[in-house]
Amino acid sequence: MMGGFVVMAIFLGTFGGAAVWEFGRRGGGTPVPFDPPVRLVTTGVYGHVANPMQLAMTGPLLLWGIWFGSLWLLVLAGLAVV
């Protein structure tokens, strides 16, 4: 079971890293609000998911909630989706 969590964590980290890289490369900016991108990014992971960075951060909350059996972490993951 732990192997599945490790694989999912690696996938989410790679997914989030690819999103940040594509954001800077194609958009010409950073995720930081005072340096927004100058172009709309619709390539790479942004071609499949509207906000891949948020997905990459919500996934670990969900994994931790399942791993530790914590209802609070599961609620936080649900709130992050909303």
Side-chain angles (χ1 to χ4, degrees):
M1 181 163 165
M2 184 172 171
F5 281 100
V6 171
V7 169
M8 199 62 177
I10 291 171
F11 171 75
L12 289 169
T14 304
F15 190 74
V20 171
W21 184 73
E22 190 74 17
F23 202 71
R25 192 184 86 162
R26 296 280 186 182
T30 66
V32 180
F34 59 80
D35 185 22
V38 293
R39 290 176 297 282
L40 178 65
V41 181
T42 58
T43 58
V45 293
Y46 286 93
H48 304 284
V49 179
N51 196 339
M53 284 186 265
Q54 184 172 0
L55 180 63
M57 292 307 296
T58 302
L61 283 175
L62 184 61
L63 288 174
W64 291 333
I66 294 168
W67 180 262
F68 294 118
S70 171
L71 181 62
W72 290 110
L73 287 173
L74 293 174
V75 168
L76 283 176
L79 288 174
V81 170
V82 172

